[in-house]
Amino acid sequence: MESTLGLEIIEVVEQAAIASAKWMGKGEKNTADQVAVEAMRERMNQIHMRGRIVIGEGERDDAPMLYIGEEVGICTREDAKAYCNPEELIEIDIAVDPCEGTNLVAYGQNGSMAVLAISEKGGLFAAPDFYMKKLAAPPAAKGKVDINKSATENLKILGECLERSVEELVVVVMDRPRHKELIQEIRDAGARVRLISDGDVSAAISCGFSGTNIHALMGIGAAPEGVISAAAMRCLGGHFQGQLIYDPEIVKTGLIGESREGNLARLKEMGIDDPDRVYTDSELASGETVLFAACGITPGTLMEGVRFFHGGARTQSLVISSQSKTARFVDTIHIQEQPKYIELK
């Protein structure tokens, strides 16, 4: 899978990032998302693959592109046999977020990126449009910290695993009213908190790399993005756990569904009989082969954002593979017309 799709999925996220970056700072978050979706879908449909979107542009809405269940790739077309032999190609599941952090793009803030994860059919958990309690940590703490423990306990364990004092640890938390008590507990334990307005996929992945000065992600965010984060962390050998949150009283804002009982019924209809189950990264991204790709839209901890110059653009992407056990940072110059010069820095 990696040898067949590795370069092309980089181009998929690059095209989405470039399209969205043109709307950076213009206050149009819906447009920034829409153009990213269109660019991502267009490039996907040029790839010789049999793909199916399992996490995309909304479970309940009528998204016209990259909706859940949509088939993508040349080999899903009605005339596919004119281009390839569909039966010889492995079916793959795809989770996408063409513009992770739409508000960040709209208001010119750091940390937005175009992301996707792929695996064999059935290899990615089809998360509902719910929220998810998340815990991400570096590889050294894998299996030692636990989402069922308190933040105080996990910080003590994390410090021991990393041979740092708790005071040296930095925890990323989404800046939401629901996290008021969590933030206070982290601070009382002695650790430092980095609050973010959006974009917790980047924060989760940053835990897998030394030198980012991010040592954990804690709190509640969107469930679909949790699956994408889990795919990356599985490839990196980092720690990730997620637990679906179905009670609107816990989330306080934004949860799809009007009642706890209604949400529980929805989960049961989806075949989720244990709504309180804690999922590991290997369960959320269970495929034999998992690939993750991201491209910075605005500057972030791991990647630069899109930089435009006369006649082109420069992007920085990241592709992580469970197959080759690699994390590749890819710096690309896109020549769109005859430039006056090529921007190197």
Side-chain angles (χ1 to χ4, degrees):
M1 184 187 296
E2 180 185 1
S3 60
T4 304
L5 299 176
L7 177 59
E8 294 198 278
I9 65 167
I10 295 174
E11 293 180 355
V12 167
V13 291
E14 286 175 345
Q15 292 306 310
I18 290 170
S20 187
K22 292 176 180 177
W23 290 87
M24 190 276 291
K26 295 186 176 181
E28 300 284 346
K29 71 172 187 175
N30 291 336
T31 304
D33 184 57
Q34 179 184 341
V35 296
V37 170
E38 292 172 352
M40 179 173 278
R41 182 175 183 263
E42 180 179 359
R43 184 63 185 88
M44 274 188 181
N45 280 325
Q46 297 169 5
I47 302 175
H48 282 76
M49 68 176 181
R50 299 171 64 192
R52 179 176 65 107
I53 303 297
V54 295
I55 291 177
E57 287 298 288
E59 175 191 342
R60 288 187 163 189
D61 57 20
D62 296 320
M65 296 182 182
L66 298 184
Y67 55 85
I68 294 172
E70 181 178 9
E71 294 185 337
V72 291
I74 289 177
C75 300
T76 63
R77 292 165 40 168
E78 291 183 3
D79 60 347
K81 290 185 178 180
Y83 301 93
C84 57
N85 184 350
E87 302 307 318
E88 292 181 355
L89 294 176
I90 186 172
E91 293 182 81
I92 62 171
D93 285 352
I94 309 171
V96 302
D97 195 344
C99 182
E100 210 259 329
T102 53
N103 284 320
L104 301 177
V105 178
Y107 301 113
Q109 299 171 341
N110 289 356
S112 179
M113 57 187 186
V115 298
L116 64 80
I118 67 175
S119 187
E120 301 89 356
K121 184 177 180 179
L124 296 174
F125 179 68
D129 266 343
F130 278 28
Y131 276 70
M132 178 182 280
K133 182 180 178 183
K134 306 173 187 179
L135 175 62
K142 186 174 182 65
K144 297 175 183 177
V145 293
D146 190 281
I147 202 169
N148 290 317
K149 289 182 166 64
S150 68
T152 304
E153 291 176 285
N154 279 325
L155 287 168
K156 183 176 182 296
I157 296 168
L158 186 57
E160 292 170 352
C161 292
L162 298 178
E163 298 181 345
R164 290 171 174 258
S165 67
V166 172
E167 288 73 18
E168 294 174 317
L169 301 177
V170 175
V171 182
V172 173
V173 182
M174 296 276 282
D175 190 4
R176 299 289 188 271
R178 60 179 173 263
H179 291 145
K180 182 179 179 181
E181 294 180 1
L182 172 63
I183 292 167
Q184 191 59 52
E185 181 180 355
I186 294 169
R187 288 171 173 166
D188 289 345
R192 294 169 290 163
V193 177
R194 180 180 295 182
L195 296 175
I196 58 173
S197 61
D198 296 280
D200 66 352
V201 174
S202 176
I205 301 168
S206 294
C207 297
F209 290 92
S210 175
T212 62
N213 200 37
I214 294 176
H215 307 109
L217 167 72
M218 296 182 182
I220 297 170
E225 282 79 356
V227 176
I228 296 174
S229 299
M233 290 300 274
R234 181 192 154 186
C235 296
L236 291 170
H239 180 95
F240 188 90
Q241 289 174 291
Q243 183 180 39
L244 293 174
I245 301 296
Y246 49 82
D247 190 344
E249 291 299 316
I250 294 176
V251 177
K252 302 186 185 300
T253 57
L255 183 68
I256 293 177
E258 297 180 356
S259 69
R260 181 179 185 275
E261 292 72 23
N263 289 332
L264 284 170
R266 277 187 64 212
L267 290 176
K268 191 167 185 179
E269 288 174 3
M270 297 177 68
I272 300 175
D273 295 322
D274 181 3
D276 296 314
R277 177 177 174 178
V278 173
Y279 297 89
T280 65
D281 54 276
S282 295
E283 292 168 327
L284 294 171
S286 60
E288 182 179 345
T289 301
V290 177
L291 286 173
F292 168 89
C295 182
I297 301 175
T298 56
T301 303
L302 292 173
M303 294 168 288
E304 289 288 344
V306 178
R307 290 148 289 168
F308 293 101
F309 57 88
H310 179 76
R314 185 171 185 171
T315 59
Q316 190 170 40
S317 305
L318 168 64
V319 59
I320 314 173
S321 168
S322 68
Q323 186 175 5
S324 63
K325 301 188 184 305
T326 55
R328 293 185 173 95
F329 288 89
V330 181
D331 200 348
T332 307
I333 292 174
H334 306 261
I335 302 174
Q336 297 161 343
E337 59 183 73
Q338 186 64 41
K340 291 181 179 179
Y341 56 87
I342 300 296
E343 186 74 48
L344 290 180
K345 294 182 180 181

